[in-house]
Amino acid sequence: RYAGRLDEEGLEYLNFIIENGLQMSRLISDILEYSRVSSQRPQLERIASRTAVLTALENLAPEILAADAEIRTGDLPEVIGEKALLVSLFQNLIGNAVKYRDPHRRPVISIGARLSEPGWVRFEIADNGLGIDPADHQRIFEIFQRLTPSSAQGGTGIGLTLCRQIVQHLGGEISLTSCPGVGTTFFFTLSSQSMAEAVPSDVRRQSG
């Protein structure tokens, strides 16, 4: 409404206020989600991880389209978790892969999973993006740690911290391998069986 009444400097200030207001809104939202994961017990149920991935991809559709990113998915099994947490986990990791893409090549993001040991599934989310220096592999999971200035890439510095919190909240582990200029692969484990399923049937009968 007031754009026509402001000079170039005034418009610059106005855009600065708007951008920082939006950033603060995202930060508050991420902090609230981090707090919820930290303080509440997950409502565990059997979930098709493919459904969580598809929901995450739907939420990220504008960013994926804008980046012309190619998404490849393999077999994604059922796991024990909470759907909202799994969607947030996949959305943050896939969103990072899109955000930190290499500007000189089309982004390719692969999502796969395999049984790592009895009762556990190991997921892999690999990209061909900018990569992460080995010295920063642990630091990126710390809250408010960013490897690029906020002006270069959007974000709040909470996403990967939230991913670690979600995975640990569900009893799993998260790690990564990366090579600058080549790409990054995040690994995380999730349980594929409930507590009842983990106990042998003869033990359940005796305890009953």
Side-chain angles (χ1 to χ4, degrees):
R1 186 190 307 174
Y2 292 97
R5 306 182 190 182
L6 299 174
D7 59 15
E8 185 175 347
E9 186 177 22
L11 288 174
E12 184 178 347
Y13 288 153
L14 184 60
N15 287 330
F16 180 79
I17 292 170
I18 292 172
E19 289 174 4
N20 280 272
L22 292 172
Q23 178 73 359
M24 182 60 69
S25 177
R26 289 191 292 267
L27 179 59
I28 292 172
S29 177
D30 285 352
I31 290 175
L32 288 174
E33 185 172 5
Y34 177 78
S35 176
R36 183 182 78 84
V37 173
S38 302
S39 61
Q40 296 183 11
R41 295 184 62 180
Q43 302 299 309
L44 299 179
E45 60 179 332
R46 183 165 295 280
I47 297 171
S49 60
R50 176 170 292 277
T51 300
V53 168
L54 292 177
T55 302
L57 293 176
E58 184 178 344
N59 294 339
L60 292 167
E63 291 89 343
I64 293 172
L65 182 62
D68 188 30
E70 179 183 348
I71 309 295
R72 302 172 180 173
T73 59
D75 292 332
L76 301 175
E78 291 186 340
V79 294
I80 301 300
E82 181 179 314
K83 183 178 179 181
L85 295 182
L86 292 186
V87 170
S88 179
L89 173 61
F90 284 114
Q91 188 167 324
N92 273 289
L93 292 175
I94 298 169
N96 267 6
V98 174
K99 186 186 304 179
Y100 296 103
R101 61 188 179 274
D102 189 310
H104 303 297
R105 56 177 177 257
R106 184 187 186 193
V108 178
I109 302 164
S110 301
I111 307 163
R114 62 180 177 83
L115 290 176
S116 59
E117 56 183 280
W120 291 90
V121 177
R122 188 176 195 239
F123 289 86
E124 300 181 7
I125 298 183
D127 65 56
N128 63 340
L130 296 174
I132 302 169
D133 190 282
D136 295 318
H137 284 190
Q138 292 304 314
R139 186 167 72 88
I140 61 171
F141 289 111
E142 298 175 9
I143 196 166
F144 300 134
Q145 293 295 316
R146 295 174 51 79
L147 303 185
T148 60
S150 58
S151 59
Q153 301 286 352
T156 60
I158 298 180
L160 288 177
T161 307
L162 180 61
C163 288
R164 182 178 63 179
Q165 188 75 6
I166 290 173
V167 172
Q168 292 179 346
H169 207 48
L170 297 175
E173 298 178 345
I174 187 168
S175 60
L176 74 147
T177 61
S178 185
C179 181
V182 177
T184 300
T185 301
F186 281 92
F187 306 92
F188 60 91
T189 55
L190 295 174
S191 176
S192 61
Q193 60 184 11
S194 66
M195 290 294 291
E197 292 170 326
V199 179
S201 59
D202 58 336
V203 175
R204 290 202 301 270
R205 285 196 299 271
Q206 292 173 13
S207 64

